[in-house]
Amino acid sequence: MKILLPFMLSMIAVAKEATAQDAECGRERAAMVETIRAYVRSDASVLGQQGLSERVLEAMGQTKRHLFIPERSCSIAYADRPIPIGLGQTISQPFIVAVMTQLAEVAPDGVVLEVGTGSGYQAAILAHLARKVCTIEIIPALAAAAAKTLRELGYDNVSVRLGDGYGGWPECGPFDAIVVTAAPGQPPPPLIEQLKVGGRLVMPVGPAYSTQQLTVVEKIATDKTTTRAVALVRFVPFTRSHN
Ligand code: SAH
């Protein structure tokens, strides 16, 4: 008893601190969602009158971004900024994640591919909205860390694969939506191939180390697509496995 009591008291103190931190993180996350909502309201040029759906905002409000970044700090995680995740890569600004997710128009029974897993955060957002998410990452350490985070947080509808996402993931598709979070010069044809008719490819298109056009390619028939540019963005380069 003499030994156990101080131990139990310190455990209670740790638990209380964790609960207080959770509550603080929850408040910061809710503020982040309000910031995103305000941006979209003030600038209809990106998403038009339709704006952001409540489903997307809810997914942003439920996903613990601080658990996907190296610092695990809430004040860093819930500022509306991109964050370095190591190995020269960054997790996108939450506003951009919300916009890309909205443009993907994910339905509850949807199957989605993400190319560029990074931290796993965008995959987690998609996992709240879709039936199945497959995500590919080319850097082994990031793929392993993201798979671990997603597993530990219970995202059991997400599969992470290590590899070059240029060729997509045919065994996981066909896809209702594909989200690419690195910038290739042009939309990779295998990704369009693996979209269902009616599906959408959302990606930055343009040169590396420069600004790109956030682009939506919609597959309107087996051999026909329409393309629209939505906003200027700046993403990390899309690398190839033979580079
Ligand atoms: N969606 C991520 C952010 C990713 S940053 C998140 O939510 O955290 C872009 C990622 O794309 C980087 O991790 C980079 O390594 C990866 N990437 C670049 N080229 C790739 C390719 N050809 N195939 C798969 N992943 C690629």
Side-chain angles (χ1 to χ4, degrees):
M1 194 61 183
K2 261 182 197 155
I3 300 167
L4 267 184
L5 191 61
F7 173 72
M8 282 165 67
L9 288 176
S10 73
M11 290 295 283
I12 291 169
V14 168
K16 270 190 176 161
E17 203 177 299
T19 313
Q21 202 214 9
D22 256 15
E24 181 53 28
C25 287
R27 278 192 289 276
E28 298 200 25
R29 193 159 55 248
M32 176 194 83
V33 171
E34 288 317 305
T35 304
I36 294 171
R37 203 191 279 277
Y39 270 1
V40 172
R41 246 194 244 122
S42 68
D43 184 357
S45 69
V46 179
L47 289 172
Q49 290 311 318
Q50 122 211 27
L52 276 176
S53 72
E54 285 304 314
R55 280 186 84 225
V56 170
L57 287 164
E58 259 168 41
M60 300 293 297
Q62 284 164 0
T63 308
K64 296 182 171 171
R65 192 173 189 249
H66 66 285
L67 302 182
F68 290 86
I69 60 167
E71 299 83 354
R72 296 201 150 208
S73 144
C74 294
S75 53
I76 296 175
Y78 299 114
D80 190 35
R81 296 211 193 94
I83 304 172
I85 51 170
L87 300 155
Q89 306 306 319
T90 52
I91 170 173
S92 303
Q93 175 190 359
F95 170 66
I96 296 293
V97 173
V99 166
M100 291 180 84
T101 307
Q102 179 67 44
L103 293 169
E105 291 178 39
V106 182
D109 61 347
V111 179
V112 183
L113 174 69
E114 181 198 23
V115 177
T117 316
S119 68
Y121 176 69
Q122 170 80 75
I125 298 279
L126 294 168
H128 279 277
L129 299 166
R131 177 170 63 80
K132 180 167 93 164
V133 178
C134 297
T135 178
I136 311 178
E137 170 56 51
I138 202 165
I139 299 180
L142 291 179
K148 181 167 179 281
T149 307
L150 290 161
R151 192 174 53 246
E152 285 174 358
L153 294 176
Y155 286 98
D156 51 15
N157 59 340
V158 183
S159 307
V160 182
R161 172 160 146 178
L162 172 64
D164 179 351
Y166 186 91
W169 188 341
E171 311 79 53
C172 184
F175 302 102
D176 298 282
I178 301 179
V179 174
V180 181
T181 63
Q186 288 299 323
L191 299 187
I192 293 169
E193 176 70 28
Q194 288 165 37
L195 271 183
K196 289 181 191 169
V197 171
R200 290 153 302 283
L201 168 61
V202 180
M203 62 183 297
V205 174
Y209 306 107
S210 176
T211 49
Q212 301 101 23
Q213 285 284 0
L214 181 59
T215 303
V216 182
V217 179
E218 195 160 355
K219 186 161 171 177
I220 54 171
T222 316
D223 53 0
K224 201 164 176 208
T225 57
T226 59
T227 300
R228 68 192 162 100
V230 173
L232 282 176
V233 288
R234 186 179 271 264
F235 274 77
V236 296
F238 191 96
T239 51
R240 302 298 315 279
S241 51
H242 55 75
N243 279 353

